[in-house]
Amino acid sequence: MQNQTSPLLQRLADVPVIPVLEFHSVDEALHVSEALVTGGLPLLEITLRTPVALEAIKAVAAALPQACVGAGTVLNVEQLHAVRDAGAQFAVSPGLTPALAEGAQGAGISLLPGVATASEAMAALEAGFTFLKFFPAQAAGGVPMLKSLGGPLPQLRFCPTGGIDAALAPTYLALPNVVCVGGSWVVPKDAVASGDWGRIRTLAEQARALRNKR
């Protein structure tokens, strides 16, 4: 079966962090996304946790063609199609259902499905996915769990997300089966509230530099 995430995996070759974003207005989405992209983080995960999420995806994709806009918290095929139609180039799910796995086949959008156990990872692999989100990373065993999965499942690559901050990120990125990490620390809520886009850009630059330390 074709690996549904191979194009996404290729794009992540030198991007260590995917910002996990929750926007409450399109204006906020545009400012934050521009700061992140300028700071060197062009892959953005805009989560479907607010009413403006689809509108934000559409606006950012149109305004920042140099970005690779993705959608997070995609739970079903209907949402997968909706984010694709809004301009998202990849979708991220906290888990994987048979319906979502089947719906991703030929959907025209890369899916990064979430797993937390060896059985879930095996099921995702059976469905044709070799690049997976490890979620919730810290709660599901963190670095030791990913090390353990690397033995029996060496063909899998992961993007751990959940509870990861700037201090923990390098430890995850040092693992051979970790391609990148997802995190929201690059977009502090107080920086967004005060419109401090420069601070967000600086945090993005620091996160981008983590790739050079691997």
Side-chain angles (χ1 to χ4, degrees):
M1 186 177 294
Q2 181 183 4
N3 176 17
Q4 293 299 304
T5 50
S6 54
L8 176 59
L9 186 58
Q10 292 168 8
R11 295 205 65 170
L12 283 167
D14 65 349
V15 179
V17 178
I18 300 180
V20 180
L21 307 166
E22 181 178 311
F23 292 131
H24 298 278
S25 73
V26 171
D27 184 65
E28 175 185 287
L30 291 170
H31 281 295
V32 170
S33 297
E34 183 178 16
L36 290 169
V37 173
T38 302
L41 299 181
L43 279 87
L44 312 172
E45 179 188 336
I46 300 176
T47 61
L48 299 184
R49 298 177 185 174
T50 65
V52 303
L54 282 176
E55 190 179 355
I57 290 170
K58 186 175 182 179
V60 173
L64 299 171
Q66 69 273 39
C68 180
V69 181
T73 325
V74 174
L75 305 179
N76 52 55
V77 177
E78 290 74 21
Q79 289 181 329
L80 184 67
H81 292 167
V83 299
R84 176 201 62 196
D85 295 343
Q89 296 181 51
F90 68 96
V92 184
S93 176
L96 183 65
T97 65
L100 186 57
E102 182 178 355
Q105 301 289 334
I109 183 171
S110 295
L111 175 64
L112 180 61
V115 302
T117 67
S119 293
E120 291 173 0
M122 289 169 61
L125 178 61
E126 192 172 87
F129 297 91
T130 57
F131 180 35
L132 308 172
K133 172 182 178 177
F134 180 60
F135 176 83
Q138 282 293 100
V143 168
M145 180 63 169
L146 284 168
K147 285 182 178 179
S148 297
L149 290 175
L153 297 166
Q155 64 273 64
L156 295 181
R157 295 294 178 269
F158 296 93
C159 174
T161 303
I164 299 175
D165 57 19
L168 290 169
T171 308
Y172 279 95
L173 290 168
L175 298 177
N177 59 347
V178 169
V179 177
C180 60
V181 300
S184 57
W185 81 86
V186 290
V187 184
K189 291 183 179 180
D190 60 337
V192 176
S194 63
D196 192 350
W197 317 126
R199 180 183 170 197
I200 293 172
R201 183 173 62 251
T202 297
L203 288 170
E205 291 170 348
Q206 293 170 352
R208 174 74 187 205
L210 292 174
R211 174 61 69 200
N212 299 327
K213 298 177 181 179
R214 294 191 67 174

